[in-house]
Amino acid sequence: MRALTLAEAGRAVLLSQALGTRSDLTELRDRHPALARRLSELQELLDQDSAATAGIGAGQAMRMGQERQRLAAELEDLLVRVRACAGFASFGLPPSPDDLLAEAVHGPVVTFNVSHYRSDALLLTRDGIDFHPLPKLTPEALADRVVAFYRALNEATAPNADRVAAQQTVREILEWLWDAAAGPVLTALGEAIPDARDGQPLPRVWWAPGGLLGLLPLHAAGFHTASHTGANPLTVMDRVISSYTPTVRALSHTRSRQPRPVDYSQSLIVAMPTTPDNTPLRHVTEEALRVRNLLHCPVQLVESAPIPDGTPPPPSIGTPTTSTVLARLPACGIAHFACHGISDRTDPSFSRLLLHDHATTPLTVSALSRANLDHAQLAYLSACNTADPGRGDLLDEAIHLTSAFQLAGFRHVIGTLWPIKDHLAAEIAESFYTHLTVGQPGSLDPDQSATALHKTIRAVRDRYPATPSLWAAHLHVGA
């Protein structure tokens, strides 16, 4: 428990700071509105987009840094005052052991620790906290596999590469991931993940990989070209339904939000079949049509075709601009994005979805993370690299588009670890929402998002078991 508490304190630090105050802010507003108001003001000032500091002089940059230090000190003093109020002693502090244990009620949470000393999985279940050693999961072996995995992904689509050999490399690394990490963990969990019988749904498991391990798809680990039948198939997706969380605390924050029923919320579809200064996505229009027929009260923002000389069309009321999307999101229970996504390896907070005005006002991680959406339930990011954690020295921070939507208030987010094919993306999206449908079209249960994605991706896997690059990128983050 001490190890898990330390892991929680040392990972996703920026995310945890934001979660810690946002989770408790509603009650603080009710009982101490002045303190809550100043706290919100300080958070807004400290959350200013880093892009706003670009191009300023050294003197101004120093003054801005000093001002941020002053604001941070005032925030710390304010938190001390808040914690002195009756009933707020734990405001913004890391979760207690009892808080951590409470999050295993829906299924185990597995936190990995990979180091030069030893590697282990910390297993949080209803019965408590345990660990399982993972001797094959060394930092050197993991780093080598990550490099080989992403090289093979690139070669799997390169015109002059040996694509068959590339897919074989991807499969071999998924098999190693099973032997070194996922397989031993599922065995160690034992009765915490009982075998599904008589048509019962598979058990749930939440993965908190951390570090380099977050670049590999634990949910797709296994031997996919072998038989998937029998009591203990050698694949994760034939044993459990996988979800991801940066930390247990992030999972707790996500579950604590109680949005209104989706039937009373609009749905938002943001579609970019053409994008200024980028390649067209030929199947995005088809995807938007398929999804629209399955959503409740869909509102569409669709990029118009460029005028004959190639110039982007002028924006209108239905154009997907950053300001329009941010204005629409508060009224939406479900938001579906079909567009290009960029993972910024230099500054992960600048990772972004490419909308009409992405060159001037991009929809970045930073912009999204400042939103606070009361009715949000599901964000489906049908775009490339939306769960890519970016810079090597910030992998534990989980700064990417998927976590930004989670921080903004979405209980469920569907993201991707690497580039996806837009023709298959349309099919996957339609299947996903079909599995969410309960009763009439438009009547959806977002809390079945992990199960719906699992069923969809497993069906695609069954069709293309030898080409995991096509289907293993999609993942579920959240409750």
Side-chain angles (χ1 to χ4, degrees), residues 236-251:
V236 171
M237 65 173 56
D238 293 294
R239 297 276 295 277
V240 298
I241 296 172
S242 293
S243 295
Y244 289 83
T245 183
T247 60
V248 182
R249 185 180 195 175
L251 183 59

Side-chain angles (χ1 to χ4, degrees), residues 6 50 68 106 124 128 167 217 221 249 267 284 289 296 299 315 325 327 339 346 361 375 438 453 477:
L6 289 171
S50 59
R68 286 185 65 82
H106 300 292
L124 184 67
Q167 294 290 354
R249 185 180 195 175
S267 299
V284 159
L289 178 61
H296 182 266
V299 174
V325 168
C339 58
T346 303
T361 314
H375 305 313
V438 287
L453 183 68
V477 172

Side-chain angles (χ1 to χ4, degrees), residues 2 13 23 104 142 172 243 265 279 292 333 349 365 382 403 405 408 478:
R2 175 66 171 159
V13 175
S23 298
L142 178 58
E172 289 172 352
S243 295
S265 301
T279 56
R292 184 183 66 189
S349 67
V365 164
S382 188
S403 62
F405 275 91

